[in-house]
Amino acid sequence: MALKSFVLIITIFAVVTSISHASDPSPLQDFCVAINDPMAAVFVNGKFCKNPKIVTAEDFFRPGLNVAGDTSNPVGSAVTAVNVNNLAGLNTLGISFARIDYAPYGLNPPHTHPRASEILVVLEGTLYVGFVLSNPGPNMKNKLLTKILQPGDVFVFPIGLIHFQLNVGKTNAVAFAGLSSQNPGVITIANAVFGSDPPINDNLLAKAFQVDKKVVDYLQSQFWWDNSYRLV
């Protein structure tokens, strides 16, 4: 009996520990400027790190977020991301940033960030934003939480949940977002489901969405726009 209790305690501890480490790990040093050349590296903390002796302020600097993104696309929005892939000094810091531009009635389509929560602040315009909670249980619908945001308003999207923003005004809108990962990732729902390569079996999707297979074939034939791009 004592052995079973001990095994149970160890199992619970392992699960709790794994959950508590489900986000970016805490850094073990001041910084670790990411570098692609391991021959020039000194420390390894998630990525090869640039020798601290040759680190400069430029490794922690990225201009360009004053420039509006190109919203002349089918969804009418553009996400300009700043993450570890274009700002090496973010490595191990557990944060990233983005500017989102919206044309009138432009949409940042339903999507998720698998590795980060997001905090959004509106700079210009009026946004209708929201997120959907995870599956609640049998015979229950996923709850939708929404809000109309004005300039200066802040809204938070929990990690992994499907969320969106829609410009409900007649003028351009601008928002900035902070994310709790150096590389939060993004899964745009429509793109992933109907625009995957190779395509998901249309019979499978027809059954999943309870629609005729012709509807799925039509959706899979469309061009699914990626409204995110990175600073260069």
Side-chain angles (χ1 to χ4, degrees):
M1 187 66 180
L3 179 59
K4 289 183 179 179
S5 299
F6 177 75
V7 171
L8 179 60
I9 292 171
I10 293 298
T11 303
I12 293 173
F13 177 77
V15 171
V16 172
T17 301
S18 66
I19 292 173
S20 67
H21 289 83
S23 58
D24 289 1
S26 298
L28 303 178
Q29 55 210 51
D30 288 343
F31 52 78
C32 169
V33 175
I35 189 170
N36 292 324
D37 180 10
M39 298 303 295
V42 174
F43 303 111
V44 176
N45 190 7
K47 285 194 174 187
F48 289 110
C49 304
K50 188 174 183 179
N51 188 334
K53 295 180 180 179
I54 59 173
V55 164
T56 70
E58 295 302 310
D59 294 313
F60 301 90
F61 171 74
R62 171 62 63 179
L65 283 187
N66 61 314
V67 179
D70 182 4
T71 60
S72 59
N73 56 62
V75 295
S77 70
V79 179
T80 308
V82 180
N83 55 44
V84 71
N85 296 312
N86 56 25
L87 181 52
L90 281 175
N91 189 42
T92 74
L93 299 187
I95 55 172
S96 57
F97 202 66
R99 170 180 175 144
I100 309 136
D101 290 278
Y102 313 82
Y105 309 111
L107 169 70
N108 191 11
H111 62 281
T112 72
H113 300 294
R115 296 180 291 275
S117 296
E118 175 182 345
I119 184 167
L120 182 90
V121 59
V122 178
L123 187 66
E124 300 175 10
T126 304
L127 297 180
Y128 168 70
V129 307
F131 64 88
V132 182
L133 275 61
S134 56
N135 296 358
N139 302 317
M140 297 176 67
K141 292 186 177 181
N142 300 67
K143 188 173 183 178
L144 171 65
L145 301 178
T146 64
K147 190 74 176 176
I148 297 291
L149 303 185
Q150 306 291 345
D153 288 346
V154 175
F155 199 81
V156 174
F157 304 106
I159 184 171
L161 298 186
I162 297 173
H163 60 283
F164 57 84
Q165 303 106 38
L166 173 68
N167 180 3
V168 293
K170 298 180 180 180
T171 61
N172 292 335
V174 181
F176 286 90
L179 299 110
S180 61
S181 170
Q182 66 180 35
N183 190 21
V186 61
I187 302 171
T188 306
I189 307 305
N191 300 42
V193 173
F194 297 110
S196 65
D197 183 20
I200 299 174
N201 182 275
D202 55 359
N203 288 307
L204 183 156
L205 291 178
K207 187 170 185 178
F209 287 93
Q210 297 293 287
V211 297
D212 190 279
K213 189 165 75 72
K214 291 181 180 179
V215 175
V216 174
D217 292 339
Y218 170 76
L219 291 171
Q220 289 184 322
S221 70
Q222 303 305 299
F223 175 77
W224 293 97
W225 184 268
D226 180 6
N227 68 328
S228 63
Y229 65 92
R230 293 183 172 87
L231 293 173
V232 294

